[in-house]
Amino acid sequence: MNYLQVVVFVPVECEEILENELKKQDLVCLYFIRVRGYGCHPNYFSRNWFVQFVKFELIIKEDRLDSIKYAVKSSCQVGSEDDGFISVTSLGDIQAIKNL
């Protein structure tokens, strides 16, 4: 079985909505945290360049990717450049530490 790591950055306003959608999915694990950074389009004329986002990290089975993408799109997409983004990385295999 192949696994994927999915990292999703969304605006803080979408945190609870996306969390509730992801709870309905078949996930191996889910972590999320509020982060801040410069974002994709920093405003160089602003005193404070930092923007707040929520970072979700998921480990999923490869065949669940389309379902996860749909959950993210349906709960976070409003048509803005600042809707956030998603990154998918192949893990190949994962093991519990106790089984090493």
Side-chain angles (χ1 to χ4, degrees):
M1 175 68 55
N2 287 332
Y3 294 92
L4 301 173
Q5 177 185 24
V6 179
V7 178
V8 182
F9 285 89
V10 295
V12 175
E13 306 85 53
C14 298
E15 176 182 7
E16 191 172 337
I17 299 166
L18 182 55
E19 179 186 354
N20 290 332
E21 282 298 314
L22 292 175
K23 284 179 184 178
K24 300 174 189 174
Q25 301 296 318
D26 181 23
L27 306 172
V28 175
C29 70
L30 163 67
Y31 298 99
F32 59 96
I33 186 169
R34 286 189 181 203
V35 295
R36 65 184 189 141
Y38 295 113
C40 296
H41 306 287
N43 180 355
Y44 298 109
F45 301 104
S46 173
R47 285 182 168 227
N48 184 0
W49 291 1
F50 288 115
V51 293
Q52 285 201 347
F53 272 83
V54 179
K55 178 183 177 183
F56 286 83
E57 290 189 28
L58 320 167
I59 305 295
I60 63 170
K61 294 178 183 172
E62 193 172 40
D63 62 346
R64 302 296 301 155
L65 182 59
D66 290 336
S67 177
I68 297 298
K69 285 181 178 179
Y70 180 78
V72 171
K73 183 178 180 176
S74 65
S75 60
C76 299
Q77 187 179 39
V78 295
S80 167
E81 282 187 22
D82 296 329
D83 279 350
F85 61 90
I86 183 171
S87 167
V88 179
T89 306
S90 179
L91 296 177
D93 189 28
I94 61 172
Q95 294 181 357
I97 293 173
K98 68 179 183 176
N99 296 333
L100 293 176

